[in-house]
Amino acid sequence: MNRKNRIILSCVYWAFVAYVFVPLILMVLMGFKDSNFIGFPIRSYTLEWYTGVFDDAETISAFVYSVAIAVLSTVISILVGTWIAVLLEGRSFWGRAVVFGMTVLPALIPGIISAIAFRIYARYLGIEPGMGAIIWAHAVHNVPFVVLVVMARLSTLPKSQIEAARDLGADPLIAFLRITFPYLVPAIMGASIFCLLLSFDDFVRSFFLGGYEPTLPVLIFAKLKSGMSPEINAIATVALVLTAVIGVWAERFTRRMNKDS
Amino acid sequence: MTYEASARKERGAAEKAPADRTFWGRLSAWAPYRALAAMATASPRRQFLILAIFPILWVLTQHLGPMLQMLRVSLTDAYPVAPGVEQHFTFDSYLRFFQDPLFWMPFFRTLIFAGVFTFCTLILTYPVAYFLARHVSRKNQMLFLLLLLIPFWVGEIVRTYAIMILLGNTGAVNLVLRWIGLIDRPIPFMYTSFSMGVGIVYLTALYMLLPLYSALEKLPKSMNEAAADLGAGAWTRFRRVTLPLTLEGISSGCTLVFLISTGFYATPVLLGGPSTTVFAETIAGFFHVAGDEWPTGAAFAVIMFLAALGISAAFQRLMSALRKGDTK
């Protein structure tokens, strides 16, 4: 009985793996099709679409734009998120629960509503739609994830180390920079990669806060609305490979970190 | 010599030691820095204020601010305000929602779709999580899980496009069905609620899988063995032991997936058709056109947010009531 269960369940698991992977594999394959027309069967193959991606100025500039936005918004998220985490972890003060609730709020708001709220607020603050507005929206949206990751790491920091540093004459800032911060580095690295990917993949906020220059997901969306073509497959595949590689690397990184602590 | 005295002596020695060898030593010996540090740490209260003031201002203005501003705009009659036009307080934008089925139909459709898709995600991922937590050895668990995580790093648009290729009239599913001989003309999967469902479940499955997996992993095997010893069959064991004890994971997974599902914009636009317009598209419509529609868009976003949050809260309350009922 148990054996039969096991076989059925493993079939379900592998079917799920197929559901998760097959669409992406097909998408990559379709980028090699030697025709303008999307669809199976694929009769002849070409590398033209993939080489075309690297010659297309529009795609390259969208890619660079997305990476720049991801990097800058991540820097802001990390600085702010770490600061909030240091305030919230292991400290009890009046209103802490309220501050924590407000901290995680951006992560709980459904995508479209968060994009609309940012759009209205950007207008209110006088931020023009464009790079600055996207960076700001991504940064705010990603702060909760940084706070949660850093708080988790901070909770395992031995208090005695800080006390020892203070006993030896370090003031709180120096104790933070020399003891707490180096201890947090793995968590901060993990959170950074997570933020980079969230920002790079984000569509809805980039779409509503963007100016005329598209980020990569917005460019793919715009191209899709005017029709499917293997060119889009090639662009999407480049984005896919990049995010998947960084994601896997981050996964290994965080696992090593968990082993250390 | 007492411990106290020796500690004091050591501290004195540390202060006297040449502190300018390292950057940190030089910094703490630098007079302006010392003055600043002394001022900042004069009292625990002041130290706390310096630490707390920025985070609190940030969450108030950046996290709460956008939502409050959206609420405020939804209660006015014109935004952004054109020069020479006066802004008035009004509930009109909210009333507009009830006046036209073009508005409230997509709203209820979104909530129903999100509920159904959440349920489908649960049914689909529960056996997968169960298999991972129960039938895979500890050593392989992370590997099997990691395998599933990889595709989820890929963005929303790219994965939506992958589903378009899978389900199109000349897509892989139709090709395979035709090849087997089940059909002789393609089934139009695309631009229906079905294609939208496949896409949204594809995008949200991970958010369900992880809470379920961690709930199942925590569950001790001995519970099931005890139930088996007492004569419970496989189905009874699942229904009376495993399911009640993983309700918490189910509840948090469903809440997360439901909230995310209500917020999708690009996926319904690309995978859905005219008969599956969701509320996100309705809301977005008000922001593509002239400025005076913004208050209506904001009001609709507020309605959507409150509804999604309300349903999630009610669901969580229901689940915790169920949990308490079972442990009694």
Side-chain angles (χ1 to χ4, degrees):
Chain A
M1 184 61 209
N2 207 2
R3 205 183 142 76
K4 206 178 98 195
N5 263 347
R6 197 193 148 97
I7 292 168
I8 293 170
L9 281 169
S10 80
C11 287
V12 173
Y13 172 81
W14 289 108
F16 186 73
V17 171
Y19 171 52
V20 164
F21 274 95
V22 165
L24 293 175
I25 293 168
L26 293 177
M27 195 194 69
V28 175
L29 269 183
M30 195 64 84
F32 290 105
K33 189 180 180 185
D34 189 10
S35 153
N36 263 322
F37 176 70
I38 285 283
F40 291 95
I42 302 173
R43 294 223 163 73
S44 65
Y45 294 85
T46 175
L47 273 174
E48 218 176 284
W49 300 111
Y50 281 94
T51 51
V53 170
F54 299 99
D55 295 332
D56 185 17
E58 200 186 10
T59 309
I60 301 276
S61 84
F63 178 80
V64 172
Y65 190 58
S66 287
V67 171
I69 287 171
V71 170
L72 291 171
S73 72
T74 299
V75 170
I76 300 174
S77 299
I78 292 291
L79 289 175
V80 175
T82 308
W83 195 331
I84 297 178
V86 170
L87 172 70
L88 290 178
E89 179 59 41
R91 226 179 282 267
S92 58
F93 54 89
W94 186 84
R96 183 187 176 278
V98 178
V99 175
F100 183 76
M102 284 195 292
T103 303
V104 296
L105 179 70
L108 295 176
I109 303 170
I112 181 77
I113 297 165
S114 128
I116 295 300
F118 281 132
R119 173 80 193 260
I120 290 172
Y121 202 60
R123 182 77 184 229
Y124 172 69
L125 293 178
I127 306 173
E128 283 294 312
M131 192 174 178
I134 301 177
I135 291 173
W136 164 73
H138 286 183
V140 174
H141 178 254
N142 294 346
V143 161
F145 304 105
V146 179
V147 174
L148 293 177
V149 172
V150 173
M151 272 176 80
R153 176 79 178 169
L154 207 51
S155 68
T156 63
L157 171 72
K159 284 255 168 0
S160 54
Q161 290 196 9
I162 298 286
E163 283 158 14
R166 296 297 305 278
D167 272 355
L168 290 169
D171 61 56
L173 181 67
I174 291 189
F176 173 78
L177 290 175
R178 295 200 67 187
I179 308 291
T180 314
F181 184 73
Y183 187 78
L184 291 180
V185 164
I188 288 177
M189 287 297 290
S192 304
I193 294 163
F194 194 60
C195 288
L196 283 174
L197 289 175
L198 277 180
S199 169
F200 187 80
D201 286 340
D202 178 72
F203 168 76
V204 73
R205 277 161 284 271
S206 306
F207 184 67
F208 281 97
L209 287 149
Y212 293 108
E213 211 179 337
T215 64
L216 198 59
V218 174
L219 181 76
I220 298 174
F221 179 78
K223 280 186 190 279
L224 274 179
K225 285 204 86 175
S226 58
M228 289 154 76
S229 131
E231 184 205 355
I232 306 175
N233 290 63
I235 300 172
T237 302
V238 173
L240 178 154
V241 169
L242 193 87
T243 44
V245 167
I246 297 177
V248 171
W249 182 67
E251 204 63 46
R252 289 188 46 178
F253 190 87
T254 38
R255 256 200 300 164
R256 223 172 30 220
M257 178 187 99
N258 289 341
K259 240 179 247 166
D260 286 349
S261 61
Chain B
M1 205 192 289
T2 60
Y3 170 75
E4 290 264 315
S6 88
R8 212 176 301 135
K9 195 179 162 200
E10 267 176 39
R11 212 177 299 164
E15 264 163 30
K16 261 177 241 147
D20 56 345
R21 275 200 204 131
T22 62
F23 167 76
W24 298 107
R26 278 203 302 276
L27 179 67
S28 49
W30 192 43
Y33 176 79
R34 285 180 73 148
L36 213 65
M39 210 164 74
T41 55
S43 70
R45 199 187 152 81
R46 185 182 290 178
Q47 206 178 311
F48 176 75
L49 270 181
I50 290 172
L51 178 66
I53 199 93
F54 173 75
I56 289 174
L57 279 180
W58 172 276
V59 293
L60 279 176
T61 59
Q62 309 301 314
H63 292 192
L64 201 60
M67 297 309 278
L68 291 181
Q69 183 64 17
M70 186 168 81
L71 184 67
R72 202 182 71 90
V73 166
S74 73
L75 293 169
T76 59
D77 59 351
Y79 193 89
V81 191
V85 179
E86 218 173 305
Q87 206 179 22
H88 300 284
F89 174 89
T90 170
F91 276 114
D92 282 358
S93 304
Y94 288 91
L95 294 176
R96 223 178 137 186
F97 172 75
F98 298 98
Q99 282 157 0
D100 198 334
L102 209 63
F103 296 149
W104 52 257
M105 278 288 282
F107 172 76
F108 289 112
R109 188 183 291 135
T110 304
L111 293 181
I112 292 167
F113 276 178
V116 171
F117 296 158
T118 305
F119 185 71
C120 294
T121 316
L122 176 67
I123 298 297
L124 182 73
T125 51
Y126 200 96
V128 177
Y130 189 88
F131 173 74
L132 276 174
R134 284 309 180 76
H135 293 287
V136 180
S137 69
R138 283 271 146 192
K139 216 177 75 196
N140 287 337
Q141 269 184 18
M142 276 325 284
L143 199 74
F144 275 51
L145 201 60
L146 185 65
L147 187 65
L148 293 181
L149 288 184
I150 298 167
F152 287 94
W153 288 112
V154 179
E156 177 190 350
I157 298 288
V158 173
R159 278 193 284 156
T160 303
Y161 183 41
I163 294 292
M164 290 169 78
I165 291 170
L166 185 75
L167 293 181
N169 279 348
T170 54
V173 173
N174 271 317
L175 179 82
V176 170
L177 287 179
R178 207 147 32 150
W179 186 57
I180 299 173
L182 276 177
I183 51 170
D184 41 55
R185 64 180 60 200
I187 303 171
F189 291 117
M190 277 298 290
Y191 314 117
T192 61
S193 50
F194 175 76
S195 58
M196 214 169 100
V198 172
I200 287 180
V201 171
Y202 188 44
L203 288 169
T204 55
L206 181 77
Y207 300 105
M208 187 70 90
L209 184 72
L210 288 181
L212 287 181
Y213 167 75
S214 69
L216 280 162
E217 198 212 359
K218 267 186 276 176
L219 191 66
K221 273 207 169 91
S222 53
M223 294 272 197
N224 258 307
E225 285 159 7
D229 282 350
L230 292 169
W235 170 241
T236 315
R237 284 206 303 272
F238 175 72
R239 198 172 58 84
R240 301 291 298 272
V241 179
T242 313
L243 197 61
L245 287 172
T246 49
L247 275 183
E248 203 178 342
I250 294 175
S251 152
S252 55
C254 286
T255 309
L256 201 60
V257 169
F258 181 81
L259 282 177
I260 295 171
S261 304
T262 56
F264 279 122
Y265 170 70
T267 308
V269 169
L270 293 173
L271 291 176
S275 64
T276 62
T277 311
V278 293
F279 205 50
E281 293 171 71
T282 313
I283 295 173
F286 293 108
F287 290 85
H288 289 321
V289 287
D292 58 330
E293 297 271 72
W294 280 34
T296 313
F300 285 18
V302 171
I303 293 174
M304 177 92 255
F305 182 56
L306 293 180
L309 221 57
I311 290 174
S312 304
F315 177 74
Q316 288 227 315
R317 179 158 290 187
L318 178 81
M319 291 304 262
S320 79
L322 267 180
R323 242 180 11 246
K324 278 194 196 106
D326 272 317
T327 48
K328 232 177 243 168

